[in-house]
């Protein structure tokens, strides 16, 4: 399903570039890769440090799912990447809801989903993925960062990295469209590094919550003092209590 790959020396953000292509009708499976990004983006307006040596890329999807199920794609990407990296390079990668990849309490990478919809129909969805591969992990981050090269003690060819992860995501995406989210949800349980109790920072409040699991649409189900609620990735940041 990977249709066309655009490779750039430098872009401000692969997500921004691919969003333009999506608006002008690019097909599902279009991929944009940049060797470096000058204005890489995280969630909630945060910056993403993207020097040469890392894997900074975006994948265009046009999934036949409702807007409410969009969180599934974020989880699918994270789970698929974690599993592929474990299998290919034996690095113990875990996933932290909604979009982070961790190795031993350090952040290896993250995912930023951006989409356009008409009512409940998704027109296009851009999955932006950033993984520290051979680059020096940034130092001034909210949580300590790591890279694949640091975990492995050696650099890995980026071509091999991209072959491995694009194949894995494409395979899992097609399986998801054919049979639904349940196989991803099962894998997520094994790969999740969330502790049982988490702090949830919403725009105006900090809540304490017990993690119950993932809903069928990829939302995080938690129990707070006010009862059970489902969180979607756009609105929250999890933190340690
Ligand atoms: C994310 O945001 O983790 C999503 C990152 C997505 C980046 C990709 S790269 C390709 C595509 N094009 C883009 O422009 N973006 C996507 P969030 O959960 O908000 O985490 C952001 C926080 O992570 C920052 O505030 C920093 O503290 C930290 N951070 C920044 N750069 C990092 C890096 N290279 N490695 C680890 N942590 C980093």
């Amino acid at each position: 399903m990977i249709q066309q790959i655009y490779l750039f020396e430098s872009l401000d953000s692969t997500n921004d570039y691919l969003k333009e292509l999506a608006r002008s009708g690019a097909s599902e499976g279009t991929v944009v890769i940049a060797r470096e990004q000058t204005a890489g983006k995280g969630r909630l307006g945060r910056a993403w440090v993207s020097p040469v040596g890392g894997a900074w890329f975006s994948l265009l999807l046009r999934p036949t799912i409702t807007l409410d199920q969009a969180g599934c794609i974020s989880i699918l990407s994270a789970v698929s990447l974690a599993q592929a990296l474990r299998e290919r390079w034996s690095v113990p990668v875990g996933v932290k809801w909604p979009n982070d990849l961790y190795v031993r309490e350090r952040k290896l990478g993250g995912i930023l989903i951006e989409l356009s919809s008409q009512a409940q129909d998704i027109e296009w969805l851009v999955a932006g993925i950033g993984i520290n591969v051979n680059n020096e992990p940034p130092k001034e981050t909210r949580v300590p960062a790591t890279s694949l090269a640091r975990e492995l003690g050696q650099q890995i060819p980026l071509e091999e990295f991209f072959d491995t992860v694009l194949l894995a995501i494409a395979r899992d995406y097609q399986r998801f469209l054919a049979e639904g989210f349940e196989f991803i949800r099962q894998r997520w349980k094994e790969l999740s590094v969330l502790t049982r109790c988490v702090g949830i920072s919403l725009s105006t409040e900090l809540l304490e919550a017990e993690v119950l699991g993932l809903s069928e649409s990829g939302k995080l189900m938690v129990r707070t003092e006010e009862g059970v609620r489902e969180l979607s990735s756009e609105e929250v940041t999890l933190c340690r209590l």
Side-chain angles (χ1 to χ4, degrees):
M1 65 148 298
I2 301 299
Q3 295 291 333
Q4 191 154 21
I5 300 181
Y6 295 91
L7 175 62
F8 293 89
E9 282 303 315
S10 180
L11 278 181
D12 48 0
S13 155
T14 55
N15 264 38
D16 287 348
Y17 192 89
L18 187 53
K19 274 158 54 182
E20 284 304 313
L21 293 183
R23 289 186 191 112
S24 29
S27 50
E28 171 162 275
T30 304
V31 175
V32 171
I33 301 174
R35 292 200 195 282
E36 67 164 3
Q37 294 183 121
T38 52
K41 303 183 300 181
R43 291 183 308 138
L44 307 167
R46 296 181 196 126
W48 185 257
V49 182
S50 321
V52 172
W56 325 122
F57 63 111
S58 301
L59 168 64
L60 175 61
L61 300 174
R62 296 185 183 276
T64 47
I65 57 175
T66 62
L67 184 57
D68 189 54
Q69 295 171 299
C72 293
I73 304 290
S74 174
I75 310 285
L76 182 153
S77 313
V79 162
S80 190
L81 279 158
Q83 193 174 22
L85 298 180
R86 279 171 172 258
E87 283 171 8
R88 179 64 189 79
W89 285 287
S90 307
V91 181
V93 183
V95 300
K96 181 170 164 235
W97 187 91
N99 67 331
D100 288 347
L101 294 174
Y102 269 66
V103 180
R104 291 182 263 266
E105 312 221 338
R106 287 173 178 268
K107 182 156 165 167
L108 177 73
I111 298 163
L112 171 67
I113 303 282
E114 295 185 272
L115 58 80
S116 161
S117 63
Q118 294 273 10
Q120 272 293 310
D121 293 334
I122 295 177
E123 277 178 324
W124 52 258
L125 182 153
V126 166
I129 299 171
I131 310 280
N132 300 312
V133 180
N134 299 322
N135 59 299
E136 186 69 25
K139 293 198 173 68
E140 311 281 307
T141 46
R142 288 167 54 238
V143 287
T146 190
S147 66
L148 269 184
R150 181 169 291 180
E151 297 299 328
L152 283 169
Q154 65 179 66
Q155 302 225 327
I156 60 172
L158 275 176
E159 298 71 32
E160 202 176 323
F161 174 89
F162 281 117
D163 284 350
T164 304
V165 302
L166 288 174
L167 185 68
I169 296 172
R171 220 180 253 160
D172 286 337
Y173 175 65
Q174 265 153 351
R175 185 167 167 201
F176 163 71
L177 291 180
E179 66 181 66
F181 189 53
E182 191 53 31
F183 78 102
I184 296 291
R185 199 152 70 131
Q186 291 307 325
R187 271 197 234 159
W188 180 85
K189 281 189 204 157
E190 287 155 30
L191 293 168
S192 173
V193 298
L194 277 188
T195 47
R196 205 169 72 87
C197 288
V198 292
I200 303 169
S201 102
L202 293 161
S203 49
T204 52
E205 44 179 345
L206 179 67
L207 298 174
E208 220 175 278
E210 181 193 352
V211 174
L212 303 175
L214 271 192
S215 77
E216 278 171 14
S217 54
K219 298 200 177 76
L220 190 69
M221 294 187 297
V222 295
R223 183 179 290 122
T224 67
E225 272 182 349
E226 291 154 20
V228 174
R229 63 194 278 178
E230 288 188 4
L231 305 172
S232 66
S233 64
E234 305 84 55
E235 55 181 357
V236 292
T237 296
L238 298 184
C239 49
R240 275 175 188 272
L241 289 173

